Amino acid sequence: MRAVIFFALLIAIQGVLAALLPHSIVAPDLFLLAALAVSTRLRPSLGLLAAYGIGLIQDVIGAGWFGFHALAIASAIYASYGARRFFSGNSWLNQATIVLVAVAIKWITYLLFDYWTRAGLMTSTALVSAFLPELLTTLLCAPLVHTFARWAFGNSSFLKDDRLL
Amino acid sequence: MISRLSMLFAVLIVVSLISTRFLPPIPLALSSAVAPVQQLLTRSAQNLRSAIASIIEDRRLRDENRDLRDHAAQLEEENRRLSNAVRQLEQALRVKREVSPGVVAIAGVTAIEPGALRSRMRIDKGYAENVRQLSVVTVPQGLVGVVWEVSQHEALVRTIIDPQSEIGVTIEHKGGRASARGVAGGRLRAEGFARDLQIKVGDIVLTLNAPGGVYPTIKVGVVSSVQPVAANALGQTVFIEPVVDFAELSEVFVLRPQ
């Protein structure tokens, strides 16, 4: 039940933030943060699939390409699994770096997809006006989502383990 | 474990590449299922944003309103001050035109010395403002008195109803001359009018020759009663009600001694 509340609330807040914030402030990627929270509480393969599923939900809500956000979030989670191998402990700096890597990999996936589909969406203006603000807002919201996830799913047993892969 | 995860990731990549390149976008019918919820959330967020904007605007308008009210109060005060100044200048002009062109100062009455035997007042102008001893003090309505003592920024005026005050008076349109002194009760007593002068109650009394120089005629008061002339009297005696209400004076005009 708590998990349902967690996902429902995150989807609702994502929708509200998009309409509430001024155009200069990009809303944080709560789907990515949800995927990060879920992936640390499942086995890596299941976590990766769960992240892909969360991305698919984002694709359905946004009525975009099937798999666009799904792969981007899955790539971010895959990279986060790799990054955790280089950190020990569960400090705030550790978590912030994981989020940073995840957001960066997500946007790199966007770039590759943009090339693959020839959509022409990823311009330098888009990178500056969307990537950096989203990175900042996502980093700011990460601790809150992390706390919310702890309420919804309990503590993550995988975070204690340095070597996940 | 690493290879299993990487293989799974590779499969997901292939699936996504195929679906994004070769499959159409997600049907609207699928996303329509969540559209009402999205719409509700968007509408709520927009309403919240409008409410916040209204509150901010309301606060801004309140501050602006308060600033405008303060400014209006300042302007009203300034207007009042300027109106007072204009009124003073208009009165000074009137005194200059009707009484004497030699107005040297417009002085405020700072104190009226109470007493049944004396009638004096302090004004807030002195030597520094060209007030001199024996300068005549007047208002547009009529004569007030004479400057008796002067300091740098203050002076003492002896009014015409002071028992020690003495001025020469005449009756308007009828002539005659007499010496008027202040008496108890806030009146003047003029003695020495010619016996055959037809003085009546209500006749206007003007100055004749005020101490300190020759001044234009200034209204002193109105004859309030005429004493019966005794057989051996040299002249007529009348009582004069001054035109100026000394208790109500707030500012006076000091004339230059000629």
Side-chain angles (χ1 to χ4, degrees), chain B residues 28-102:
Chain B
L28 213 56
L30 202 58
S31 61
S32 296
V34 295
V37 177
Q38 283 291 98
Q39 203 175 28
L40 178 67
L41 292 170
T42 306
R43 193 75 56 80
S44 305
Q46 284 169 347
N47 288 341
L48 184 62
R49 196 171 167 180
S50 300
I52 292 169
S54 294
I55 290 170
I56 293 169
E57 182 67 13
D58 183 55
R59 196 167 290 178
R60 189 190 67 80
L61 286 172
R62 209 163 347 130
D63 290 343
E64 192 180 323
N65 192 19
R66 189 192 57 227
D67 291 342
L68 286 171
R69 268 206 310 269
D70 291 344
H71 189 55
Q74 276 178 6
L75 289 173
E76 272 175 24
E77 184 58 37
E78 180 71 12
N79 190 27
R80 214 174 292 129
R81 191 185 64 76
L82 289 170
S83 296
N84 271 341
V86 166
R87 186 184 51 77
Q88 279 184 348
L89 290 169
E90 279 174 348
Q91 284 197 329
L93 191 64
R94 190 177 148 196
V95 167
K96 273 195 168 188
R97 263 202 306 255
E98 295 173 9
V99 178
S100 164

Side-chain angles (χ1 to χ4, degrees), chain A residues 9-21 27, chain B residues 38 40-46 48:
Chain A
L9 214 54
L10 277 193
I11 292 171
I13 292 171
Q14 183 79 74
V16 165
L17 282 179
L20 194 62
L21 293 174
Chain B
Q38 283 291 98
L40 178 67
L41 292 170
T42 306
R43 193 75 56 80
S44 305
Q46 284 169 347
L48 184 62

Side-chain angles (χ1 to χ4, degrees), chain B residues 175-212:
Chain B
R177 54 175 64 207
S179 177
R181 280 177 171 270
V183 294
R187 298 185 299 168
L188 293 96
R189 179 191 163 113
E191 291 175 331
F193 280 115
R195 288 170 63 100
D196 58 352
L197 194 60
Q198 301 297 316
I199 305 174
K200 286 201 264 308
V201 170
D203 283 345
I204 292 172
V205 181
L206 304 172
T207 57
L208 180 62
N209 215 346

